[in-house]
């Protein structure tokens, strides 16, 4: 078990009707920028609930933050924050709106080039405080310090993190998920599942508490993921999926253990190249990582097979084959496609992605930094 320190100050306000509590969470003396995406919040009544809760506040709005938030859009918002002296940001929407808002918060008062934060040249020293109303359980962004920003003209998608952009609070009202399209429900379950897997499926390091938390969360997704996709009105299911997605990436389940973020690193490049939804890239890549890294991850693969999928019979290598298959089958049963060719992608993706990862310093990756250029190519070659 590794040494660790843990601090997470995000206040979670969970439950139906909790948007009304915004008035006790958002500072009244600050000018607030309400950020949102392409308009889902205006169609499903969330916008009205937010405006009602904040009546009497000084609010300006910035809408149009894209799925996979675009660098240039966020720079425009930051410019407005500067001019308008915005003192608090309220992100209302999915992970893209919240990630975008975190980036706005960090760059608004930065004199240098905003890209510095994405290529690691600089780290923010100040940020505008922010909070969120999360309407799409998936990313865990509501309780972490991460943001991922895209720059389409350069085919770039890069992560950034700073404790300064941890939300002060996150409202999780399962009712807001009722209007999610089926594709986003599928995405939410898969993104959550893979976040857990990347913190769990590493070296067996004796972090039993984290392992058990991960296995419990995975079982919730296996048992209730399909119901979440098929029954949007079941608030018990939605509430549990929502909380699972927060728990999957708020830092708790990785404590004392190693993490392997290679699936996400490869997936982000696939989104940058082909515009695939984030979670879909993970459904494509993870089975390949499990297959190619099966020797290094053997002990955890066997544990995962046993505890999450009840696979206990047969020789070890057979059990591993079975559980890799089960995992991909689970993604497909939810409704996801898991092969590049199913998206009409037939070019030499393995080489293109490995080249890109090499050029921006993402290699080697994996929990032991032993996944190199050739391994990334091998993984994607299996996923054509
Ligand atoms: O833009 P609007 O109109 O709001 O519509 C959105 C968008 O089209 C819609 N939506 C959201 N809530 C809805 C809704 N539609 C109906 N009813 C609702 N209640 O869903 C679409 C997708 O939204 P988006 O925010 O893009 O999805 P998601 O939450 O999956 O976020 C994806 C982004 O988060 C990053 C991804 O890379 C990607 O850029 N990630 C962020 C992480 C983090 N901060 O820790 C970790 C993740 O691994 C991930 O990388
Ligand atoms: Zn993710």
């Amino acid at each position: 078990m590794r040494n660790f320190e843990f601090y997470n100050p995000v206040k979670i306000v969970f439950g139906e009707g909790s948007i009304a509590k915004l008035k006790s969470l958002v500072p009244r003396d600050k000018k607030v920028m309400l950020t949102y995406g392409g308009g889902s919040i205006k169609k499903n009544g969330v916008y009205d609930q937010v405006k009602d809760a904040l009546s009497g506040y000084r609010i300006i709005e910035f809408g149009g933050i894209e799925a996979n938030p675009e660098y240039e859009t966020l720079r425009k918002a930051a410019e407005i924050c500067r001019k308008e002296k915005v003192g608090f940001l309220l992100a209302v929407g999915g992970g893209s709106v919240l990630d975008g808002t975190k980036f706005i918060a960090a760059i608004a008062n930065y004199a240098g080039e905003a890209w510095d934060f994405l290529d690691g040249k600089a780290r923010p020293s100040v940020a505008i405080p922010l909070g969120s109303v999360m309407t799409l359980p998936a990313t865990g962004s509501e309780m972490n310090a991460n943001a991922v920003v895209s720059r389409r003209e350069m085919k770039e998608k890069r992560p950034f993190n700073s404790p300064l952009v941890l939300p002060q609070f996150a409202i999780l009202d399962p009712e807001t998920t009722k209007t999610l399209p089926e594709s986003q429900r599928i995405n939410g379950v898969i993104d959550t599942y893979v976040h857990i897997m990347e913190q769990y499926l590493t070296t067996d390091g004796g972090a039993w508490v984290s392992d058990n938390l991960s296995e419990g969360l995975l079982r919730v997704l296996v048992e209730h993921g399909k119901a979440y996709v098929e029954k949007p009105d079941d608030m018990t299911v939605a509430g549990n999926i929502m909380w699972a997605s927060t728990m999957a990436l708020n830092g708790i389940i990785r404590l004392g253990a190693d993490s392997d973020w290679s699936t996400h690193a490869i997936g982000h490049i696939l989104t940058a190249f082909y515009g695939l939804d984030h979670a879909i890239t993970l459904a494509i890549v993870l089975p390949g990582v499990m297959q190619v890294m099966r020797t290094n991850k053997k002990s955890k693969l066997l544990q995962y097979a046993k505890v999450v999928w009840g696979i206990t019979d047969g020789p070890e290598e057979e059990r591993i084959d079975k559980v890799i298959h089960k995992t991909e089958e689970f993604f497909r049963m939810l409704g996801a496609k898991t092969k590049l060719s199913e998206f009409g992608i037939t070019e030499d993706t393995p080489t293109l992605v490995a080249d890109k990862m090499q050029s921006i310093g993402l290699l080697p990756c994996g929990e032991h930094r032993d996944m190199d250029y050739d391994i990334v190519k091998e993984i994607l070659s299996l996923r054509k």
Side-chain angles (χ1 to χ4, degrees):
M1 185 176 180
R2 305 260 185 220
N3 293 356
F4 65 83
E5 292 183 15
F6 181 65
Y7 173 68
N8 191 323
V10 181
K11 176 168 184 164
I12 295 294
V13 183
F14 176 90
E16 293 170 39
S18 47
I19 294 175
K21 295 186 180 160
L22 275 174
K23 52 180 163 304
S24 63
L25 298 165
V26 177
R28 196 169 274 276
D29 57 334
K30 299 261 170 65
K31 189 185 253 188
V32 177
M33 179 186 267
L34 188 170
T35 55
Y36 59 94
S40 70
I41 65 162
K42 293 205 168 163
K43 289 189 207 131
N44 62 11
V46 170
Y47 174 87
D48 292 335
Q49 289 183 60
V50 170
K51 290 298 286 262
D52 281 352
L54 297 181
S55 84
Y57 278 69
R58 288 180 297 147
I59 301 182
I60 59 171
E61 294 179 17
F62 186 88
I65 296 178
E66 306 83 356
N68 303 306
E70 173 60 38
Y71 179 72
E72 288 306 333
T73 307
L74 307 176
R75 286 185 58 194
K76 281 182 201 145
E79 183 61 38
I80 299 172
C81 283
R82 258 193 304 276
K83 277 200 192 120
E84 296 281 338
K85 300 196 169 34
V86 166
F88 193 85
L89 290 160
L90 179 64
V92 185
S96 293
V97 171
L98 179 50
D99 280 13
T101 304
K102 289 175 176 178
F103 193 63
I104 296 166
I107 65 175
N109 294 304
Y110 178 60
E113 183 58 37
W115 190 250
D116 292 350
F117 294 152
L118 296 168
D119 72 3
K121 269 196 198 142
R123 292 189 55 77
S125 54
V126 288
I128 299 175
L130 62 124
S132 98
V133 176
M134 179 47 85
T135 65
L136 196 177
T139 59
S141 185
E142 62 275 14
M143 203 175 170
N144 70 40
N146 308 329
V148 188
V149 175
S150 292
R151 200 170 183 182
R152 286 162 179 77
E153 48 150 10
M154 290 167 63
K155 288 197 173 162
E156 292 276 14
K157 182 174 180 186
R158 299 226 187 168
F160 139 89
N161 75 75
S162 161
L164 295 171
V165 300
L166 273 161
Q168 290 191 346
F169 63 82
I171 291 189
L172 304 178
D173 179 348
E175 288 274 336
T176 64
T177 67
K178 277 187 174 168
T179 53
L180 280 169
E182 187 177 281
S183 60
Q184 294 302 339
R185 295 172 178 281
I186 297 167
N187 286 352
V189 176
I190 294 174
D191 197 18
T192 303
Y193 199 90
V194 179
H195 291 157
I196 302 163
M197 289 292 278
E198 293 200 83
Q199 295 161 96
Y200 168 73
L201 198 66
T202 56
T203 320
D204 186 0
W208 301 328
V209 173
S210 289
D211 286 355
N212 273 274
L213 289 169
S214 292
E215 287 156 356
L217 290 168
L218 289 170
R219 285 211 302 266
V220 168
L221 297 171
V222 169
E223 282 164 27
H224 305 288
K226 188 66 175 172
Y228 173 67
V229 173
E230 288 180 342
K231 297 180 188 164
D233 290 333
D234 188 328
M235 288 301 100
T236 305
V237 171
N240 278 285
I241 297 293
M242 200 166 209
W243 183 229
S245 76
T246 305
M247 279 297 292
L249 205 52
N250 63 9
I252 290 178
I253 66 165
R254 72 172 159 73
L255 299 177
D258 289 336
S259 300
D260 165 14
W261 293 105
S262 57
T263 299
H264 267 72
I266 299 170
H268 286 163
I269 308 289
L270 288 175
T271 297
F273 280 7
Y274 306 114
L276 297 176
D277 282 1
H278 170 63
I280 294 304
T281 67
L282 309 176
I284 294 171
V285 177
L286 182 70
V289 171
M290 293 168 84
Q291 184 62 32
V292 174
M293 301 309 289
R294 59 188 289 156
T295 306
N296 307 38
K297 295 180 185 292
K298 183 172 176 179
S299 150
K300 271 305 189 53
L301 276 165
L302 290 168
Q303 184 177 331
Y304 165 64
K306 178 177 158 193
V307 182
V308 179
W309 291 101
I311 300 170
T312 50
D313 293 338
E316 290 183 339
E317 293 306 321
E318 233 172 63
R319 278 184 261 157
I320 292 175
D321 283 339
K322 262 192 205 162
V323 82
I324 295 173
H325 180 70
K326 274 276 180 203
T327 305
E328 182 166 0
E329 211 177 51
F330 174 61
F331 298 153
R332 297 193 75 88
M333 181 275 293
L334 291 170
K337 295 176 186 150
T338 57
K339 288 284 175 80
L340 288 164
S341 54
E342 294 179 274
F343 297 90
I345 298 168
T346 51
E347 58 184 343
D348 187 8
T349 306
T351 307
L352 289 172
V353 170
D355 282 348
K356 182 71 177 182
M357 288 179 77
Q358 185 93 293
S359 74
I360 61 176
L362 294 182
L363 296 177
C365 57
E367 69 267 35
H368 298 303
R369 298 274 171 271
D370 56 358
M371 295 172 68
D372 59 11
Y373 183 92
D374 291 332
I375 287 184
V376 169
K377 277 184 70 172
E378 196 184 337
I379 288 165
L380 287 172
S381 301
L382 293 177
R383 308 307 301 158
K384 283 184 174 172

